[in-house]
């Protein structure tokens, strides 16, 4: 090399990525499928929204405040006040039933169960999540709601002074009040739906509990904690995100449950806060009940109700995802 | 950190010689006192709650007892443990007890559900025919050795195959996109997909129903249901596969890139194969989710009792939909079939689950024992190969390709098979037609559908209410509708527009809207309740709230009515029964009805309506079909319930109906004859629709006021989904039920059509495109209303109501609160005609004799039927032993059924075998092929 040769500056070589034809086709295909799935997903929401506008423009604000459901009656004759509150009541009951059950089972599987039993239990819980809703439905419809009327009667007799537990049309002094008034109620539907969502919640919680750091557990034991003390001070705080997230995912499922609620609940279009009393309402069974009877306008009204349910589940789901992602244990679940 | 130079100071403790060897302390051991505390408090708790139950009876039933004992147990246990432990331990023990019991509850519920469904379903599953037949030949009262769930199994498999064919390719490529092409867009897709995993299945169903059926005008079909299922399953599958794909170690992919492989080759040969087990699990669990969904199938396909091999048209039912539909019937047999279907579904899901478990659970790149062994053998072989090189054999396609190819081939094969079979089936007879609508006349229509199978006709009928039927017909989504009220009426301020294409009304059957009730006096069922119009109106408008109301007592002087609340059960769907009932209410009990309507949220007089309005704060039950309301009233515990439903449902449930006061001052039941007598006064409009005002006021003593006709709406021109070939089938069906079909309706709680309406019906049938255009021949029509000289022997045969059923009579017929034994003697006019021997039965067991005497031929059978019909009829002392004798006609049709059955059984058996093989193939083949291919690949690599 001679001295007068100009110094060539070192430059990074420009990397030209020249994907072959196969790769280009592959990328295009992958993108196309992504776009297609996105379009389908947005299409569901978008279509609901477009079809719903007709009814929403007629009903206006009264859609939120009206209880009754008679879309053909026009403005002020249909609204989601009752069905939405009914849906939330059923969802709430389901979550109240499911949270202790799911939490207890998840703790049992991750903390108490013998190691040999654990895998079987996990399988059983997953299996329970796979049992079709109609199976829970026929069980609740034919058996459980009659088994539980005694409990409902007792609660309404002794706690009837709380508005939530009052049962109109039942005479507590009359032991012959037919079980009719206690069946087909929000409570019965909620309990059966609760059993359905428990396994989903349980498996999320269990996964989170399993990841509680062993060091902290040992530390708690070393400080003289009992097992429950360790769970309270290590496992539960660590898994808080999973507990809340799992609960909300379960709630999302409960809000959209159709067939079980349809079978059990007697539909009533009014705000009916007495959970023990026969009759209630929910969006999903409303659609199943009325989709075929409806004129074009009523279908539009049903779409509006469906849209509300859709947005509700979407919000619950997003919230669940956010809670899980922000929690300490979130990264993995 | 300072390092010490000193030698480690370790003290070795040597146990003192002669001391006992130390044992490690058992941390989790239970001491005797722990056991005492546990068992002691358990025993104490059970004893305490037993005492509580004896004394206070706060709960009843097993669940109450368990809850009560559990709470007692916790209290006692805490008390006992606190005697020798500190509060921390007490809390620990309590928490442990609670956690254990909660887990036990969850697992217990699982076993309870599964066990209950299997025990209840066993009675149906134990019959082989449950797996080899569809329900078309099984009426509601046929025992379990008739009919089965083949149609639902085939439907489930077809629909899940369709949805998997859509979701697997699409879901996998989307998951690959999300994990392999990172970026803002794929993050957006991922977020959205994750949010959509909770998409309620009903919304997926509604979306596809609105797009495919309402907007595109496609018929409801198994295909639509499959597409709806795939919309629901897609996010679930994508999310599960995305999680699996993301777990594939980056080092594997990097290695592939480093070896010079491109992107698609890396995905194809490294990423997908190493995630194989996880992907298979994702697919199977997604399929398990999809198989169990009911609502998309309900909306997009609809219920049918017939086997349907063609997913592109006509309803196709699935196992969950079958269970959902049949469970609502009041009959034990149908419930057993529903449980059978549910158990079958559960079994299928269990099977899929077990397959997923055995297949999955391994991480990406993780090998099973067999795979590891084969790798070892492989290495040994490689060593040999490398030392003496040979020409490498042609590279085989990667596993996934092969599996996919095989799956596709399987799907193509299955589809072609299905289509081929469907075409063959249709070539034999009429084109398959489907209808939808009324539950009021469903029992009659169902019987006809069952009978026309012998003529090679397949008719599907989806009983979801009259309004449903009218709307489906208007949308051209069904070939005919059955409804009680015509189009063009105004209901709740809304005008029900007629369909945009020409149509005609065809009366199909008459019947009585009856009041079925469940009322007991001292534990004995009341079977002879009598109600006047005003009382009925007040019962269903909240004017009468207790059964011992003076007004009810006035109608029933012979009954000691109990102080039991009235629990009206009404219809919550758009129903023709409600329309018939409210028409009567608005015409005959207008003040009461209008006043009620004004108090409901509607705030105005409603007149005729298909949707029964309820008051705010009402505790009445509102349920979705005739079947459901009848079933609710027939529930043993529902003392005091009453509903309005067609008479045949009460007969089917073996429950009494109220006798209703007519204009002549008699309380009469809704038997076929009484309905026919009343309908003599019906005014028929030119389009054959009915005007019932004079029926309500019929002066005949035997007339039932709430009698009416049910109609079929048929096309009179071709439309997009209704062509001549369907018209031919529909008209043939019409010619059957107008004549032959009317013979038996009397036994089922309906009433045959009058000759005039049958004649007009023939004219309507001729208008259907492609109609056979049969000329009307009264001699060939075995309708029991056709007399020799233009008379109506059916009406003439109606027994006069007994004097004890007259209003104001001192005694009430059979007013003992027990089963009426048929005290009256019917007039028993028997008309032995050509094939329509027809006997108005006397009460009870004598019905059989009367029918036998009346029947012209085949007396044995006819007599048997007559007796049975009368015995089935606890409500009405008279008993309508209207057994159509028609010996010759009956025996002919019986042979025809046999012939058809033997001809059809070959095809059916082979279809069944094919369905079974397909089921096996779909479940077993993919993992087997995948496993074998993997092993071969391992050997080759």
């Amino acid at each position: 090399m001679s001295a007068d040769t100009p110094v060539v500056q070192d430059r990074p070589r420009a990397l030209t990525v020249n994907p072959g034809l196969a790769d280009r086709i592959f990328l295009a295909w992958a993108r196309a499928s992504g776009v297609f799935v996105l379009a389908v997903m947005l299409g569901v929401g978008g279509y609901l929204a477009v079809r719903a506008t007709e009814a929403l423009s007629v009903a206006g604000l009264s859609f939120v405040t009206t209880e009754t459901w008679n879309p053909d009656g026009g403005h002020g004759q249909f609204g989601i006040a009752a069905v939405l509150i009914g849906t939330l009541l059923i969802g709430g009951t389901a979550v109240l039933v499911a949270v202790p059950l799911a939490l207890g089972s998840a703790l049992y599987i991750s903390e108490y169960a013998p190691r040999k039993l654990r895998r079987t239990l996990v399988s059983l819980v997953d299996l329970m999540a796979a049992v079709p809703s109609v199976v829970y439905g026929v069980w609740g419809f034919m058996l459980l709601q009659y088994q539980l009327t005694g409990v409902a009667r007792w609660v309404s007799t002794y706690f009837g002074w709380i508005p939530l537990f009052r049962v109109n049309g039942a005479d507590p002094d009359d032991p012959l009040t037919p079980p009719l008034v206690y069946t087909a109620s929000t409570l019965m539907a909620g309990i059966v739906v609760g059993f359905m969502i428990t396994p989903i919640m349980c498996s999320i919680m269990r996964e989170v509990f399993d990841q509680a750091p062993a060091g902290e557990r040992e530390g708690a034991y070393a400080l003289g904690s009992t097992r429950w003390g360790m769970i309270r001070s290590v496992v539960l705080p660590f898994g808080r995100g999973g507990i809340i997230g799992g609960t909300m995912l379960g709630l999302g499922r409960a809000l959209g449950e159709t067939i079980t609620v349809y079978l059990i609940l007697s539909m009533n279009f009014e705000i009916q806060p007495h959970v023990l009393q026969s009759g209630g309402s929910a969006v999903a069974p409303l659609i199943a009940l009325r989709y075929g009877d409806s004129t074009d306008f009523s279908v539009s009204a049903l779409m509006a109700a469906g849209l509300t349910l859709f947005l509700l589940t979407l919000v619950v789901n997003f919230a669940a995802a956010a809670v899980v992602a922000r929690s300490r244990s979130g990264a993995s679940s | 950190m300072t390092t010490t130079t000193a030698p480690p100071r370790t003290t070795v403790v040597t146990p003192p010689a002669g001391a006992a060897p130390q044992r490690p302390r058992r941390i989790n051991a239970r001491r005797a006192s722990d056991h005492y505390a546990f068992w002691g408090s358990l025993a104490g708790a059970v004893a305490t709650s037993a005492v509580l139950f004896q004394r206070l009876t706060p709960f009843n039933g097993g669940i109450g007892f368990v809850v009560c004992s559990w709470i007692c147990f916790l209290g006692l246990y805490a008390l006992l443990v606190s005697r020798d432990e500190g509060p921390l331990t007490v809390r620990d023990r309590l928490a442990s007890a609670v956690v254990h019991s909660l887990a036990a509850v969850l697992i217990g519920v699982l076993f309870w559900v599964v066990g209950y469904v299997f025990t209840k379903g066993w009675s149906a599953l134990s019959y082989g025919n449950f797996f080899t037949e569809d329900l078309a030949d099984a009426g509601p009262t046929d025992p379990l050795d008739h009919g089965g769930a083949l149609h639902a199994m085939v439907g489930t498999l077809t629909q899940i195959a369709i949805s998997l064919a859509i979701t697997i390719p699409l879901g996998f490529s989307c998951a690959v996109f999300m994990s392999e092409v990172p970026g803002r867009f794929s993050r957006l897709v991922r977020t959205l997909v994750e949010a959509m995993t909770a998409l309620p299945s009903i919304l997926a169903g509604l979306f596809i129903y609105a797009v495919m059926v309402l907007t595109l005008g496609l018929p409801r079909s198994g295909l639509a249901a499959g597409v709806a299922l795939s919309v629901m399953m897609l996010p679930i599958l994508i999310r599960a596969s995305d999680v699996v794909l993301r777990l594939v170690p980056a080092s594997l992919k990097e290695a592939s890139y480093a070896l010079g492989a491109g992107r698609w080759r890396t995905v194809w040969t490294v990423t997908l194969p190493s995630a194989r087990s996880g992907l298979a699990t994702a697919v199977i669990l997604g399929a398990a989710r999809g198989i169990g969904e009911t609502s998309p199938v309900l909306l997009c396909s609809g219920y049918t009792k017939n086997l349907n091999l063609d997913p592109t048209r006509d309803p196709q039912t699935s196992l969950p939909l079958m269970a959902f539909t049949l469970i609502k019937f009041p009959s034990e047999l149908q419930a057993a079939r529903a449980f059978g279907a549910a158990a079958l579904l559960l079994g299928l899901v269990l099977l899929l689950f077990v397959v997923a478990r055995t297949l999955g659970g391994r991480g990406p790149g993780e090998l099973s024992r067999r795979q590891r062994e084969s790798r070892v053998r492989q290495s040994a072989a490689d060593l040999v190969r490398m030392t003496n090189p040979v020409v490498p054999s042609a590279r085989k396609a990667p596993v996934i390709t092969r599996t996919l190819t095989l799956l596709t081939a399987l799907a193509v094969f299955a589809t072609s098979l299905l289509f081929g079979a469907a075409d063959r089936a249709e070539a034999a007879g009429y084109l398959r037609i489907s209808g939808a609508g009324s539950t009021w006349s469903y029992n009659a229509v169902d019987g006809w559908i069952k009978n026309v199978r012998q003529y090679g006709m397949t008719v599907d009928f989806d009983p979801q209410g009259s309004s449903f039927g009218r709307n489906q017909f208007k949308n051209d989504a069904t070939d005919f509708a059955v409804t009680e009220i015509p189009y063009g009426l105004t209901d709740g301020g809304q005008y029900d527009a007629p369909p945009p294409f020409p149509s005609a009304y065809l009366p199909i059957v008459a019947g009585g809207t009856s009041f079925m009730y469940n009322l007991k006096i001292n534990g004995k069922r009341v079977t002879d309740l009598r109600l006047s119009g005003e009382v009925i109106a007040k019962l269903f408008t909240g004017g009468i709230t207790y059964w011992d109301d003076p007004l009810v007592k006035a109608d029933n002087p012979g009954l000691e009515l109990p102080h039991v609340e009235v629990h009206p059960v009404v219809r919550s769907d758009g129903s023709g029964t409600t329309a018939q009932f409210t028409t009567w209410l608005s015409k005959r009990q207008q003040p009461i009805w209008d006043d009620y309507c004004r108090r409901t949220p509607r705030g105005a007089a409603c007149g005729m309506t298909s949707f029964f309005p309820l008051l705010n704060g009402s505790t009445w039950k509102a349920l979705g079909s005739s079947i459901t309301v009848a079933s609710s009233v027939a529930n043993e515990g529902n003392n005091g319930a009453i509903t309005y439903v067609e008479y045949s449902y009460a007969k089917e449930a073996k429950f009494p109906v109220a006798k209703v006061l007519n204009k002549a001052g008699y309380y009469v039941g809704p038997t076929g004859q009484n309905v026919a007598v009343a309908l003599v006064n019906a005014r028929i409009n030119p389009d054959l629709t009915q005007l019932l005002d004079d029926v309500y006021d019929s002066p005949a003593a035997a007339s039932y006021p709430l009698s009416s006709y049910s109609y079929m709406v048929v096309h009179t021109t071709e439309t997009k989904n209704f062509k001549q070939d369907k018209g031919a089938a529909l008209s043939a069906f019409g010619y059957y039920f107008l004549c032959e079909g009317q013979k038996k309706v009397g036994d089922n709680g309906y009433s045959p059509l009058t000759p005039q309406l049958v004649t007009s019906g023939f004219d309507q049938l001729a208008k259907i495109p492609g109609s056979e255009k049969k000329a009307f021949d009264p001699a060939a029509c075995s309708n029991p209303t056709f007399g020799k000289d233009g008379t109506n022997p059916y009406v003439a045969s109606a027994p006069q109501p007994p004097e004890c059923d007259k209003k104001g009579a001192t005694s009430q017929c059979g007013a003992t609160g027990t089963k009426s034994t048929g005290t009256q003697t019917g007039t028993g006019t028997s008309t032995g005609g050509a094939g329509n021997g027809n006997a108005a039965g006397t009460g009870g067991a004598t019905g059989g004799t009367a029918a036998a005497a009346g029947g012209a031929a085949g007396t044995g059978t006819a007599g048997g039927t007559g007796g049975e019909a009368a015995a089935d009829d606890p409500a009405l002392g008279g008993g309508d032993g209207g057994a159509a004798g028609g010996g010759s006609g009956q025996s002919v049709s019986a042979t025809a059924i046999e012939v058809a059955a033997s001809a059809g059984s070959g095809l059916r058996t082979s279809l069944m075998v094919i369905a079974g093989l397909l089921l096996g193939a779909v479940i077993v083949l993919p993992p087997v092929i995948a496993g074998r291919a993997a092993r071969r690949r391992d050997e080759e690599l």
Side-chain angles (χ1 to χ4, degrees), chain A residues 22-23 26-27 29-31 33-38 40-44 47-48 51 67-68 70 72-73 77 100-101 104-105 107-108 112 121-128 130-136 138-139 141-144 146-148 150-151 153-154 168-169 178-181 183-184 195 198-199 202 226-228 232 252-253 256 258-259 262-263 265-270 277-278 284 287-296 299 302-303 306 309-310 313-314 317-318, chain B residues 28 58-60 63-64 88 91-92 95-96 99-100 102-103 105-107 109-113 116-117 170 173-174 176-177 181 185 188-189 191-200 202-203 206-207 209-211 214-215 220 231 234-235 238 262-264 267 289 292 294-295 298-299 320 323-324 327-328 335 339 342 345-346 349-350 353 357 464 467-468 471-472 492-494 565 567 572-574 601-602 611 614-624 632 635 637-639:
Chain A
D23 272 8
F26 163 72
L27 281 177
W29 166 256
R31 270 211 191 92
S33 61
V35 170
F36 185 76
V37 167
L38 191 72
V40 169
M41 300 294 128
L42 288 177
V44 175
Y47 190 83
L48 285 178
R51 287 291 302 253
E67 291 177 34
T68 179
N70 180 23
D72 293 336
Q77 280 289 309
L101 270 179
S105 323
L107 280 178
Y108 176 75
Y112 287 90
L121 283 174
V122 171
S123 295
L124 278 180
V125 171
D126 287 349
L127 172 66
M128 198 172 169
V131 170
S133 58
V134 72
V135 172
Y136 286 104
V138 298
W139 171 71
F141 177 67
M142 294 295 278
L143 181 70
L144 190 71
Y146 297 100
Q147 300 276 329
L148 284 178
V151 179
R153 186 197 298 269
W154 185 80
N168 293 334
L180 188 69
V181 291
T183 56
F195 285 133
T198 304
C202 176
T226 57
R227 191 178 334 210
W228 176 242
R232 270 195 54 190
R253 271 296 285 281
T258 314
I259 285 304
Y262 186 9
L263 269 179
L265 196 67
S266 155
M267 287 291 275
N268 242 354
F269 298 108
E270 57 174 317
Q277 183 181 316
S278 175
I287 297 172
L289 185 69
R290 287 285 170 84
Y291 78 97
D293 306 342
S294 303
T295 55
D296 269 0
V299 169
L302 285 180
M303 294 274 181
L309 177 65
F310 181 71
T313 48
L314 222 56
N317 230 23
F318 271 127
Chain B
N28 284 332
F59 292 167
N60 46 22
I63 293 182
L88 270 181
R91 251 181 268 160
D92 182 49
S96 162
V99 164
H100 275 81
L102 284 176
V105 166
L106 187 66
I107 301 301
V109 165
L110 173 67
F111 281 105
W112 193 15
V113 172
Y116 177 71
V117 168
L170 199 57
S173 16
C174 185
V176 165
F177 167 69
V181 193
F185 180 58
L188 173 72
V189 176
T191 318
L192 204 74
V193 163
E194 280 186 5
M196 294 292 278
T197 46
L199 176 76
I202 183 91
L203 291 183
L206 186 66
F207 172 62
Y209 173 73
V211 171
L214 294 185
T215 308
R220 301 207 304 161
V231 169
L234 196 56
I238 294 177
R263 274 184 125 152
W264 92 267
V267 167
R289 230 352 247 294
T294 318
S295 35
L298 175 74
L299 264 66
F324 170 72
I327 197 76
K328 298 183 283 184
F339 277 110
L345 177 68
L346 200 53
V349 170
L350 275 175
F353 192 79
R357 279 287 132 173
Q464 290 198 41
S467 308
F468 173 82
N471 275 307
Q472 292 294 315
Q494 176 73 20
E565 242 186 296
H567 290 286
S572 60
D573 56 339
R602 294 197 184 193
F611 298 88
L614 286 180
L615 291 175
N616 273 333
S618 157
T619 59
W620 297 2
K621 257 195 177 179
L623 299 170
S632 170
N635 195 304
N638 291 345
N639 193 19

